[in-house]
Amino acid sequence: MFTCRECLRKASTALISHTACLNSRYATARPIYASTQSLRHRKYATAAAHANAVEQDIAQDGARKIQTISSREWAAQKQLQYLKDPLHIANYVKKTLAKGDFEEAALVTRKASKDTKVVVSWNHLIDYQLRHDKLHAAIKLYNEMKKRAQLPNAQTFTILFRGCTNSSHPKLAVLEAVRIYHSLLANDRIKPNTIHMNAVLQVCAKAEDLDSLFHIVQTANEGLRAPNNLTYTTIINAIRSKVDKRQHGSTAEIDTTVISKGKRQAIQRAKSIWETVIMKWKEGSIIIDEELVCAMGRTLLMGTYHDADSVEALLEQTMMIPRDDKSTIPNTLTKVEGVEGGSTDMKLTTSPDTTKIKAPGAPAVRHALPGNNSLSMILSALEKTGKTTKTQRYWDIFTKQHGVIPDANNWHQLLTALRRGKNSAKTVSSLRDMPAELTVPKNFRAAMSTCLRDNLNRSAFSHASEVLEIMLAKLKNPDPMTLRIYLRVAYANKRYFEKLSKPDYKAAKMAWGKQLTTAFDNLWKPYTIIARQCENDGPESNLKRELVALARKMIAACDRMISGKMVPPEVEARIKPRRNSLNRVVVRHFEQMREIDPNFHQDEDAREEREDEDGYDDFAGQFDKN
C-alpha cells in the first residue's frame, strides 16, 4: 500500500489534515478560558497604565498652575474669598493704597471686577495715581475700567477733573479734562453737574487757557450746571492771573504799556462779571463768600489809585463794613443790655432780619463774612492808596468785632502798611503784640525799614533800638539784614543834629557820635551770636557772607567815629579792640575767597558799600558849610 508513491501521498495528506483539524478544534475549545484570562489580564494592565498616565498629567498640570500663579495673585484670591461685599472690597483697596501697595490693590480690583461691581475701588485707584501726578496712568485706568464693564459714576469724573487741576502738566491736563467733559456732555447715563464744570474751569484757569475756560462756561445752564459762587471766583481769578505776573528782566525789556493795557482790560472784564454776580446775589440765586469778594478785590488792586480805593466800597457792599465811622447800615444797630443796671449801648451787628421765615439750610447771614484773606486785602489797598491812618480802625473791626484771628500774613501786611505811612511808633507796638510763633525775619526788616523811612522823627532811632530788642527776644537767630538796616537808621536819623550844629557844631557832632556808638554797642551782641552760628561754615556760605557784610559796616562806623573825633578818648579806646577783631574776620574771609577763586576781587563783594554812607557824607558836608 505504501509502495505506491501516489497512495502514500494521499494517506499522508489525509493524516495531516485530520491532525490540523483536531488542533484547530482544541485551539478553539480549550483556549476559551486561557484567552479570557489573557484578555482580562491585558485589560487590567491597560487600565492601570491609563490611570497612572492621568495621575501624571494632573500632577504636571497642577505643577504648571502652581508655577504660573504668583504669590501676589494667590494672596489676592485669598482676600477675595472673604471679601464679598463691594464696600468691603473698596475699604480693603483704600487701606492697601494707604500703605503704598498699588499693585496689590489693582490686582484685587481687577479680579473682583469679573463678577462684582467695584466702581468705588476703581475710583480709589484713579485717585491714587492722580495724587502721585501720574495723569497718563490714571487715564489708562479709566479706560480699563470701562473695558471691564465697570461703569464710571459721577464721583469718577470729579476725581479725574480735580486730579487734572493738581497736575504738574497743565497744558496736557486741559486737553484731557476738556475731552472727558465733552464726552460726558454726550453721555445719556450721566450728565455733568456744577461740580464737574467748576473742576474743569479750575483746570483751564491753572493753565491760563481763557479760550477753553469761556468755552466751558458756555455749557452752563439754569439747571444741573447752574453757576455758583465758586464758578465766578474761578473765572475772576483766571482773568487776574493771566495778566498779574511777576515780570523778569530789565525795565527796558519789559513792555509796560502792553502790561498796563492788559490789566485795564482784565479789570473791566471783571467788573462786568461782578455786575452779574451782584444781580444774582440780590435775586437769591447765589451766595457771596469771602473768597469771591477777595477775587474781585485783588483784581481791583492791579489797577490805579481809584480802583484800589474802591476796595473799601467793595467791603461795604458785600461785608457790611462801613467806610468810615459816620456811615451807618440800616437795620444793623441793635441794643445790647449792659452787665450792670440794665444799661444799653449800641452795637454794630451783621445778623439779618430774623422775622422772616427762612428755607431749611439757608445761610444765617446773606453777606460775606470777613476773614484773614479780606483783612490782608484791605490792608494792601490802604497801603497802595496811602490811607494808612485807617489801618488801625479796620484792624479793630476785623479782630474785635468779627473775631478774626490774625495770621502771619495779616501781621506782615500790617507792618507793610505802617511802613508806607512811616509810623515807627505804631510799628513797635504791633511787633510787641505779634505772637512769637508767627514772627519771621521779614517782619523785622519791614519794621526797621519803617524806622528808616521815619528818619525825620527824632525818636526813630529809639524805635529802631526797640525793634532790635524785640527781634533778639522773639527770634532764635538774629537777621543780619535787619542789623545792617539798623545801622543805616543810626546814620540817617540826623535832622535834630543838623539843627543843633548851627549854634554848636562840636556838641552836635559828639551827640551824633554817641548815637553811632550806641548802635555799635547794640549790634555787638547779635553779631557774636551770628558769628558762633556760622563758625564752621565755609567762606561761600550765605550766612558767612552776610556776617562779613555786617562786620564791614561796623568797621566803617568805627573808623568814622575815630577819624572824625566824634567820641571821647575813653570810648575810642573801648571800641578799637572790637574794630580790630572785626577787621581780622573780614581779612580772613577775603583770603579764603582768593584761595578758592584767584580772580576774586574785593570790590565785587562790596557793591552796596556806599549806600549806608551817604548820610554821613551829607552830614559832614553840612558841618563843613558851617
Side-chain angles (χ1 to χ4, degrees), residues 229-230 233 237 288-296 319 368 373:
N229 57 322
L230 182 58
T233 302
N237 281 332
I288 287 186
D289 58 355
E290 183 194 16
E291 189 176 2
L292 178 55
V293 174
C294 291
M296 185 62 197
M319 294 185 176
N373 193 2

Side-chain angles (χ1 to χ4, degrees), residues 117-393:
K117 296 297 182 182
V118 287
V119 179
V120 178
S121 300
W122 284 100
N123 290 346
H124 289 325
L125 295 178
I126 296 174
D127 183 53
Y128 179 86
Q129 295 288 44
L130 290 173
R131 282 190 285 108
H132 288 76
D133 200 16
K134 297 180 179 179
L135 182 59
H136 281 301
I139 299 299
K140 288 182 179 179
L141 282 174
Y142 167 69
N143 294 328
E144 182 184 355
M145 174 185 181
K146 295 187 293 183
K147 292 178 182 179
R148 294 179 181 270
Q150 301 289 326
L151 300 179
N153 56 14
Q155 184 66 21
T156 306
F157 296 101
T158 303
I159 292 172
L160 282 171
F161 295 145
R162 288 180 177 174
C164 291
T165 304
N166 299 325
S167 176
S168 59
H169 307 283
K171 300 297 182 182
L172 176 63
V174 167
L175 297 177
E176 295 293 344
V178 172
R179 179 182 62 82
I180 296 175
Y181 182 78
H182 284 298
S183 66
L184 188 59
L185 286 173
N187 193 347
D188 296 332
R189 186 177 61 87
I190 298 178
K191 290 296 183 181
N193 53 30
T194 304
I195 297 177
H196 297 147
M197 182 181 67
N198 290 340
V200 179
L201 289 178
Q202 290 176 356
V203 177
C204 299
K206 183 179 179 181
E208 298 179 356
D209 190 350
L210 295 184
D211 294 335
S212 299
L213 183 139
F214 284 105
H215 185 68
I216 297 298
V217 170
Q218 293 177 357
T219 63
N221 54 26
E222 297 299 329
L224 193 61
R225 292 185 297 280
N228 57 9
N229 57 322
L230 182 58
T231 306
Y232 292 107
T233 302
T234 305
I235 296 173
I236 295 175
N237 281 332
I239 294 174
R240 176 173 60 89
S241 62
K242 182 70 175 179
V243 295
D244 190 18
K245 296 180 181 178
R246 177 176 295 180
Q247 304 297 328
H248 300 280
S250 61
T251 307
E253 297 176 355
I254 300 175
D255 192 350
T256 55
T257 305
V258 176
I259 296 174
S260 301
K261 182 179 178 181
K263 289 184 178 181
R264 288 195 301 268
Q265 293 177 352
I267 293 174
Q268 292 299 325
R269 209 172 197 179
K271 287 182 178 179
S272 63
I273 295 174
W274 187 253
E275 293 178 359
T276 305
V277 172
I278 296 300
M279 181 185 65
K280 288 182 175 291
W281 180 44
K282 292 180 178 180
E283 293 175 354
S285 301
I286 64 172
I287 62 173
I288 287 186
D289 58 355
E290 183 194 16
E291 189 176 2
L292 178 55
V293 174
C294 291
M296 185 62 197
R298 300 288 181 185
T299 305
L300 293 174
L301 288 177
M302 297 189 308
T304 59
Y305 172 88
H306 298 287
D307 293 326
D309 190 44
S310 61
V311 173
E312 294 185 65
L314 178 67
L315 293 185
E316 185 178 20
Q317 180 187 35
T318 58
M319 294 185 176
M320 307 304 171
I321 298 177
R323 297 193 62 170
D324 49 50
D325 297 331
K326 296 181 181 180
S327 300
T328 58
I329 301 175
N331 298 328
T332 57
L333 291 176
T334 60
K335 290 186 177 181
V336 182
E337 294 185 358
V339 179
E340 299 178 357
S343 61
T344 60
D345 54 309
M346 306 303 288
K347 181 180 179 182
L348 183 65
T349 62
T350 57
S351 60
D353 188 3
T354 57
T355 59
K356 297 181 180 180
I357 300 176
K358 298 181 180 180
V365 291
R366 294 188 66 250
H367 58 80
L369 296 178
N372 297 109
N373 193 2
S374 52
L375 177 56
S376 294
M377 180 186 67
I378 187 61
L379 292 176
S380 300
L382 295 176
E383 178 196 0
K384 186 169 185 177
T385 57
K387 299 179 179 180
T388 56
T389 56
K390 295 183 178 181
T391 54
Q392 188 62 41
R393 174 181 169 271

Side-chain angles (χ1 to χ4, degrees), residues 527 539 544 547-549 551-552 555 579-595 600 602 605:
Y527 167 80
K544 190 64 174 291
L547 177 68
V548 172
R552 297 185 67 183
I555 292 172
R579 187 264 179 205
N580 296 334
S581 176
L582 294 170
N583 188 61
R584 286 193 294 270
V585 173
V586 174
V587 171
R588 177 57 183 163
H589 171 75
F590 288 127
E591 289 178 353
Q592 292 177 347
M593 291 297 296
R594 292 190 187 94
E595 291 176 0
F600 174 78
Q602 181 174 343
D605 202 52

Side-chain angles (χ1 to χ4, degrees), residues 96-124:
T96 306
L97 291 175
K99 299 176 183 177
D101 194 351
F102 174 80
E103 296 298 332
E104 181 179 352
L107 186 59
V108 170
T109 304
R110 290 188 179 102
K111 287 187 175 295
S113 300
K114 296 179 180 179
D115 53 2
T116 310
K117 296 297 182 182
V118 287
V119 179
V120 178
S121 300
W122 284 100
N123 290 346
H124 289 325

